Amino acid sequence: MNHIDIITDGACSGNPGRGGWATIVIHNGTTTEYSGSAAETTNNRMEMTAALIGLQKTPRDNTINIYTDSQYLINGITKWVKGWQKNGWKTRTGDPVENKDLWESLIAHTHSGVHWHYVKGHAGHEHNERANDLAQHHAGSRAAGGLPSIVPNRTVTTRAVAPGSATFPCYVSLVNGELAQHVNWDDCKAVTHGVSGAKFKKVASQTELQAQLRSWGVSVGS
């Protein structure tokens, strides 16, 4: 069997409100992104949608590892659904189970080769960070900007860092004495991965950027 990794995330501007989801599928060295939005939804539904899309995009005859920072999704699919099914899709208090449609779809696409893993959100996991960026973008929580799908060996675009020039959030790197700003994690990774001594950091504001540069001993004029 082939091994496939699926990294997912969901976001919502208001709960309910406009939502976004993102799925990153890694298979045979190729990384593919899927993402989208919903006009009126919840964070939990976006987390579930991301996982469902990932499963729908992968063939069943594979070992699949799904990584999510949603405890609701992990507990629901690995523990709670069995009880809900036995109880006619009612909770212990007799209330209808929320998101039944998505739970049923997830069950239909889950098989013995699917393994669920919890990852802590916003903890530096590169693909979780990327999925979060995409989901937040679609939920309307991030400034509009190019969020292209990953393609192998794509050209990486960087910009020199100057005070007031950065669009946030972004990534900043220091490689062989050269400082650059990157619009997303994949561009940053392409420059820093495997380079001895390379430094990089995600920053959310000009203040964070300046503090990070100071920590690296880099002086940028005002």
Side-chain angles (χ1 to χ4, degrees), residues 11-46:
C12 209
S13 295
N15 201 20
R18 180 176 176 81
W21 60 267
T23 299
I24 299 174
V25 179
I26 305 173
H27 185 208
N28 290 333
T30 298
T31 302
T32 307
E33 296 176 353
Y34 305 94
S35 59
S37 62
E40 187 72 10
T41 188
T42 65
N43 187 74
N44 284 337
R45 287 190 69 84
M46 292 294 90

Short mmCIF file of all heavy atoms in Angstrom, two decimals, residues 11-46:
data_model
loop_
_atom_site.label_atom_id
_atom_site.label_comp_id
_atom_site.label_asym_id
_atom_site.label_seq_id
_atom_site.Cartn_x
_atom_site.Cartn_y
_atom_site.Cartn_z
N ALA A 11 -11.71 27.12 9.50
CA ALA A 11 -11.77 28.41 10.19
C ALA A 11 -13.13 29.04 9.96
O ALA A 11 -13.84 28.69 9.01
CB ALA A 11 -10.66 29.34 9.70
N CYS A 12 -13.47 29.98 10.82
CA CYS A 12 -14.75 30.66 10.68
C CYS A 12 -14.64 32.08 11.21
O CYS A 12 -14.07 32.30 12.28
CB CYS A 12 -15.82 29.89 11.46
SG CYS A 12 -17.48 30.03 10.78
N SER A 13 -15.15 33.05 10.44
CA SER A 13 -15.21 34.43 10.89
C SER A 13 -16.58 34.65 11.51
O SER A 13 -17.55 34.97 10.83
CB SER A 13 -14.99 35.39 9.71
OG SER A 13 -13.69 35.25 9.20
N GLY A 14 -16.64 34.43 12.82
CA GLY A 14 -17.93 34.33 13.49
C GLY A 14 -18.30 32.86 13.53
O GLY A 14 -17.86 32.07 12.70
N ASN A 15 -19.07 32.46 14.51
CA ASN A 15 -19.40 31.04 14.65
C ASN A 15 -20.85 30.89 15.09
O ASN A 15 -21.11 30.82 16.28
CB ASN A 15 -18.45 30.38 15.66
CG ASN A 15 -18.36 28.88 15.50
OD1 ASN A 15 -18.69 28.33 14.46
ND2 ASN A 15 -17.94 28.21 16.56
N PRO A 16 -21.82 30.90 14.17
CA PRO A 16 -21.64 30.73 12.73
C PRO A 16 -21.21 32.03 12.02
O PRO A 16 -21.32 33.11 12.58
CB PRO A 16 -23.01 30.29 12.24
CG PRO A 16 -23.95 30.90 13.22
CD PRO A 16 -23.25 30.88 14.54
N GLY A 17 -20.74 31.85 10.80
CA GLY A 17 -20.32 32.96 9.97
C GLY A 17 -19.68 32.43 8.71
O GLY A 17 -19.83 31.25 8.37
N ARG A 18 -18.97 33.27 8.00
CA ARG A 18 -18.27 32.83 6.80
C ARG A 18 -17.13 31.91 7.19
O ARG A 18 -16.35 32.22 8.08
CB ARG A 18 -17.72 34.02 6.01
CG ARG A 18 -16.99 33.60 4.73
CD ARG A 18 -16.54 34.79 3.90
NE ARG A 18 -15.76 34.36 2.75
CZ ARG A 18 -16.29 33.91 1.61
NH1 ARG A 18 -17.61 33.86 1.48
NH2 ARG A 18 -15.52 33.52 0.60
N GLY A 19 -17.05 30.76 6.53
CA GLY A 19 -16.05 29.78 6.89
C GLY A 19 -15.12 29.43 5.75
O GLY A 19 -15.40 29.70 4.58
N GLY A 20 -13.98 28.85 6.12
CA GLY A 20 -13.01 28.37 5.14
C GLY A 20 -12.44 27.04 5.57
O GLY A 20 -12.35 26.75 6.77
N TRP A 21 -12.07 26.24 4.62
CA TRP A 21 -11.46 24.94 4.91
C TRP A 21 -10.26 24.74 3.98
O TRP A 21 -10.18 25.36 2.92
CB TRP A 21 -12.46 23.79 4.72
CG TRP A 21 -13.02 23.71 3.31
CD1 TRP A 21 -14.17 24.29 2.86
CD2 TRP A 21 -12.44 23.03 2.19
NE1 TRP A 21 -14.34 24.03 1.52
CE2 TRP A 21 -13.29 23.25 1.08
CE3 TRP A 21 -11.29 22.27 2.01
CZ2 TRP A 21 -13.01 22.73 -0.19
CZ3 TRP A 21 -11.01 21.76 0.75
CH2 TRP A 21 -11.88 21.98 -0.33
N ALA A 22 -9.34 23.89 4.40
CA ALA A 22 -8.17 23.61 3.58
C ALA A 22 -7.68 22.19 3.84
O ALA A 22 -7.71 21.71 4.98
CB ALA A 22 -7.05 24.61 3.88
N THR A 23 -7.24 21.55 2.78
CA THR A 23 -6.70 20.19 2.85
C THR A 23 -5.41 20.13 2.05
O THR A 23 -5.37 20.58 0.90
CB THR A 23 -7.71 19.18 2.25
OG1 THR A 23 -8.92 19.21 3.00
CG2 THR A 23 -7.14 17.78 2.27
N ILE A 24 -4.38 19.59 2.65
CA ILE A 24 -3.11 19.39 1.97
C ILE A 24 -2.85 17.89 1.88
O ILE A 24 -2.81 17.21 2.90
CB ILE A 24 -1.96 20.09 2.72
CG1 ILE A 24 -2.23 21.59 2.79
CG2 ILE A 24 -0.62 19.81 2.06
CD1 ILE A 24 -1.23 22.36 3.63
N VAL A 25 -2.71 17.38 0.67
CA VAL A 25 -2.50 15.96 0.44
C VAL A 25 -1.07 15.74 -0.05
O VAL A 25 -0.65 16.36 -1.04
CB VAL A 25 -3.49 15.41 -0.60
CG1 VAL A 25 -3.24 13.93 -0.86
CG2 VAL A 25 -4.94 15.63 -0.13
N ILE A 26 -0.34 14.88 0.64
CA ILE A 26 1.05 14.59 0.29
C ILE A 26 1.14 13.11 -0.10
O ILE A 26 0.86 12.23 0.71
CB ILE A 26 2.00 14.89 1.46
CG1 ILE A 26 1.84 16.34 1.92
CG2 ILE A 26 3.45 14.62 1.06
CD1 ILE A 26 2.61 16.67 3.17
N HIS A 27 1.53 12.87 -1.36
CA HIS A 27 1.56 11.50 -1.89
C HIS A 27 2.71 11.37 -2.88
O HIS A 27 2.79 12.14 -3.84
CB HIS A 27 0.22 11.19 -2.57
CG HIS A 27 0.09 9.78 -3.04
ND1 HIS A 27 -0.70 9.42 -4.11
CD2 HIS A 27 0.67 8.64 -2.60
CE1 HIS A 27 -0.61 8.12 -4.30
NE2 HIS A 27 0.22 7.62 -3.39
N ASN A 28 3.58 10.40 -2.62
CA ASN A 28 4.71 10.14 -3.52
C ASN A 28 5.53 11.39 -3.81
O ASN A 28 5.94 11.64 -4.94
CB ASN A 28 4.21 9.53 -4.83
CG ASN A 28 3.69 8.12 -4.66
OD1 ASN A 28 4.11 7.41 -3.75
ND2 ASN A 28 2.78 7.72 -5.54
N GLY A 29 5.75 12.20 -2.79
CA GLY A 29 6.57 13.38 -2.94
C GLY A 29 5.88 14.57 -3.56
O GLY A 29 6.50 15.62 -3.72
N THR A 30 4.62 14.41 -3.91
CA THR A 30 3.86 15.52 -4.51
C THR A 30 2.87 16.07 -3.48
O THR A 30 2.15 15.31 -2.83
CB THR A 30 3.09 15.05 -5.76
OG1 THR A 30 4.03 14.60 -6.74
CG2 THR A 30 2.27 16.19 -6.34
N THR A 31 2.84 17.37 -3.36
CA THR A 31 1.93 18.03 -2.42
C THR A 31 0.86 18.78 -3.21
O THR A 31 1.17 19.58 -4.09
CB THR A 31 2.69 19.02 -1.53
OG1 THR A 31 3.72 18.32 -0.81
CG2 THR A 31 1.75 19.69 -0.53
N THR A 32 -0.40 18.50 -2.88
CA THR A 32 -1.52 19.14 -3.57
C THR A 32 -2.43 19.80 -2.54
O THR A 32 -2.72 19.20 -1.50
CB THR A 32 -2.33 18.12 -4.39
OG1 THR A 32 -1.45 17.40 -5.25
CG2 THR A 32 -3.39 18.83 -5.22
N GLU A 33 -2.86 21.00 -2.84
CA GLU A 33 -3.74 21.74 -1.93
C GLU A 33 -5.15 21.84 -2.49
O GLU A 33 -5.34 22.03 -3.68
CB GLU A 33 -3.20 23.16 -1.71
CG GLU A 33 -1.86 23.21 -1.03
CD GLU A 33 -1.34 24.64 -0.94
OE1 GLU A 33 -1.98 25.53 -1.53
OE2 GLU A 33 -0.30 24.85 -0.30
N TYR A 34 -6.12 21.72 -1.58
CA TYR A 34 -7.52 21.97 -1.90
C TYR A 34 -8.06 22.90 -0.81
O TYR A 34 -7.76 22.73 0.37
CB TYR A 34 -8.33 20.67 -1.89
CG TYR A 34 -7.79 19.59 -2.80
CD1 TYR A 34 -6.93 18.61 -2.31
CD2 TYR A 34 -8.15 19.55 -4.15
CE1 TYR A 34 -6.43 17.63 -3.13
CE2 TYR A 34 -7.65 18.54 -4.98
CZ TYR A 34 -6.80 17.59 -4.47
OH TYR A 34 -6.30 16.60 -5.28
N SER A 35 -8.86 23.87 -1.19
CA SER A 35 -9.42 24.77 -0.20
C SER A 35 -10.68 25.42 -0.76
O SER A 35 -10.92 25.43 -1.96
CB SER A 35 -8.40 25.85 0.19
OG SER A 35 -8.00 26.61 -0.94
N GLY A 36 -11.50 25.94 0.15
CA GLY A 36 -12.74 26.57 -0.27
C GLY A 36 -13.43 27.26 0.89
O GLY A 36 -12.88 27.35 1.99
N SER A 37 -14.63 27.75 0.65
CA SER A 37 -15.34 28.53 1.66
C SER A 37 -16.82 28.18 1.68
O SER A 37 -17.33 27.51 0.79
CB SER A 37 -15.16 30.02 1.38
OG SER A 37 -15.73 30.36 0.12
N ALA A 38 -17.48 28.66 2.71
CA ALA A 38 -18.93 28.52 2.85
C ALA A 38 -19.46 29.82 3.45
O ALA A 38 -18.81 30.42 4.31
CB ALA A 38 -19.30 27.34 3.74
N ALA A 39 -20.62 30.25 2.98
CA ALA A 39 -21.13 31.57 3.36
C ALA A 39 -21.58 31.63 4.81
O ALA A 39 -21.31 32.60 5.52
CB ALA A 39 -22.28 31.97 2.44
N GLU A 40 -22.25 30.63 5.30
CA GLU A 40 -22.81 30.64 6.65
C GLU A 40 -22.62 29.25 7.24
O GLU A 40 -23.32 28.32 6.89
CB GLU A 40 -24.29 31.02 6.64
CG GLU A 40 -24.90 31.21 8.01
CD GLU A 40 -24.44 32.49 8.72
OE1 GLU A 40 -23.79 33.33 8.08
OE2 GLU A 40 -24.74 32.63 9.93
N THR A 41 -21.67 29.12 8.15
CA THR A 41 -21.31 27.79 8.64
C THR A 41 -20.68 27.92 10.02
O THR A 41 -20.73 28.98 10.65
CB THR A 41 -20.35 27.10 7.64
OG1 THR A 41 -20.16 25.74 8.04
CG2 THR A 41 -19.02 27.82 7.55
N THR A 42 -20.08 26.83 10.51
CA THR A 42 -19.40 26.84 11.80
C THR A 42 -17.97 26.32 11.63
O THR A 42 -17.65 25.67 10.64
CB THR A 42 -20.13 25.95 12.82
OG1 THR A 42 -20.06 24.58 12.38
CG2 THR A 42 -21.58 26.37 12.98
N ASN A 43 -17.17 26.58 12.62
CA ASN A 43 -15.79 26.11 12.59
C ASN A 43 -15.74 24.59 12.53
O ASN A 43 -14.94 24.01 11.79
CB ASN A 43 -15.05 26.62 13.82
CG ASN A 43 -13.57 26.31 13.76
OD1 ASN A 43 -12.83 26.93 13.02
ND2 ASN A 43 -13.13 25.34 14.56
N ASN A 44 -16.61 23.93 13.31
CA ASN A 44 -16.61 22.46 13.31
C ASN A 44 -16.94 21.89 11.93
O ASN A 44 -16.33 20.91 11.49
CB ASN A 44 -17.60 21.92 14.35
CG ASN A 44 -17.08 22.05 15.77
OD1 ASN A 44 -15.87 22.14 15.99
ND2 ASN A 44 -17.97 22.07 16.74
N ARG A 45 -17.89 22.49 11.26
CA ARG A 45 -18.24 22.00 9.93
C ARG A 45 -17.09 22.20 8.94
O ARG A 45 -16.87 21.37 8.06
CB ARG A 45 -19.51 22.70 9.41
CG ARG A 45 -20.78 22.22 10.10
CD ARG A 45 -22.02 22.75 9.41
NE ARG A 45 -22.22 22.16 8.08
CZ ARG A 45 -22.81 20.99 7.87
NH1 ARG A 45 -23.25 20.24 8.88
NH2 ARG A 45 -22.97 20.54 6.64
N MET A 46 -16.36 23.27 9.09
CA MET A 46 -15.22 23.49 8.20
C MET A 46 -14.10 22.48 8.49
O MET A 46 -13.45 22.00 7.56
CB MET A 46 -14.70 24.92 8.35
CG MET A 46 -15.68 25.98 7.83
SD MET A 46 -15.93 25.92 6.01
CE MET A 46 -17.32 24.78 5.87
#
